[in-house]
Amino acid sequence: MTLTRDLARRVRALSRNGLPPEVAAAARLHLLDAIGVGLASAGSEAGAPYRRYAAGLGPGSAGLIGIPGRVAPAAAALVNGGLMHGLEFDDTHTGSIVHGSAVLVPAALAAAQAAGASGPALSTAYALGWEVLIRIGLAAPGAFQARGFQVTSVGGALVAALVAAELAGLTEDEAVAAMGIGLSGASGVFEFLTNGASVKSLHPGLAAQAGLNAADLARAGLTGPETAFEGRCGLFSAFAGDARLAGAFAAALDGLGTEWHLPQAAFKFHPCCHYLHPFIEAAGILADRGVKPDDVAALTCRVPAGAAPIICEPWDAKQAPASGHAARWSLPVAVAARLVEGRVDLATFEAPAGAAVLMLAGRIAWESLADARFPQVFEAEIVAETRDGARHEIRVDDVYGNAGRPAGDDAVREKFRRNAARSLAPDGIASLEAAIDALADAPRIDALTLSLSHPVRSAA
């Protein structure tokens, strides 16, 4: 049996049983977080291209996050996915390095609206999609990234197709075809790092859109390769460079439905590359010790080898990024901003770094972190030498918000409310949060759909 058919059967069987209570609760919290991030993006300059793009779309049945009106489901998946990833504020499963919600929330929302699905059906499809996408990343740790592809987007296209097929009630053969078709829609490359281009935000949206389109085309009779995962030109061979990795994915599927990874996915509390977060925390510890920016004679960051190509290379460009948005992947600017400005938040990346931040960034260096456990944990070490001759060594063992250092429901909900306030009025925020909390008993998701963009504040 091919992996696509085996996967389609497993997901169909698990969908009938629903989710364990703790997984269902995690799914609702991650859904809440992702929608909040999308609302922050819709109310920010980062979301402006998506607002303008959506204004030119024709009418349809699927709602947009923080943008009035409805469009075709696949178009809604594209826009909503772009918004959710546009601020680098969306959740991550660290071991697999996947941004699951930015693909799977827009795909599941759009497919559920098109099908008139229930709240439990939406939550179950979304959570199972997360479980599959995590297993793709775990099967090939770092392999997709080493070849320049974002696993979120290339793997996400196939998983979004599976989620859409499940919510649409497609047959097994159609679900298999949808995943095969989704393979041809898989993309998402890291070339954006050369100038900090905002196209990275589009990666999950493209994957979600590809999945919706694949399901529709499969229902219409288009066929796709059944060996989408393990084939000579399948996902692991074409995008990770090794067809044998499909065997690790196949082995991981044996735990589907008994071993749940979604509750271990990490929430982000700074709107920038997740690899930067432990370094931001370490800089905060340094500040708490009373070290001021002018006190720093030299500062060295010890970086896991797997993270360095994204946040350190090329170093001269990272010390003076081309824009505020490009600084979301800049280690020296993120560390300097925490020391100079006392925070790293949405405002940090909405304008180019100031002179004081760039001056300190110019005194920062990096070296490899020995015995790093990346990507199982996101760790950091900072060594700072001050002008009075003191030496400060700070280590952060894992990023806050990860499974080993959970943030808790209250922190995630507070983040949601702050983010949502960029697009929604207070009563709209309360209505949306209530609609998400009520999904477990909702025969349809109409209340959630209506709350996504009403009432909307004036966009930035």
Side-chain angles (χ1 to χ4, degrees), residues 15 43 248 362 408:
S15 295

Side-chain angles (χ1 to χ4, degrees), residues 71-95:
V71 299
L78 174 73
V79 172
N80 289 337
L83 291 172
M84 288 179 188
H85 200 48
L87 297 173
E88 287 295 314
F89 215 1
D90 49 308
D91 52 15
T92 314
H93 181 269
T94 58

Side-chain angles (χ1 to χ4, degrees), residues 23 26 30 93 96 127 130-132 134-135 138 252 255-256 258-266 403:
V23 179
H30 279 274
H93 181 269
S96 60
W130 251 112
E131 294 296 327
V132 175
I134 287 170
R135 284 164 170 80
L138 291 176
L256 198 64
T258 56
E259 182 182 8
W260 296 91
H261 292 289
L262 174 55
Q264 280 71 55

Side-chain angles (χ1 to χ4, degrees), residues 112-134:
Q113 288 175 74
S118 68
L122 165 64
S123 296
T124 300
Y126 163 63
L128 290 173
W130 251 112
E131 294 296 327
V132 175
L133 187 54
I134 287 170

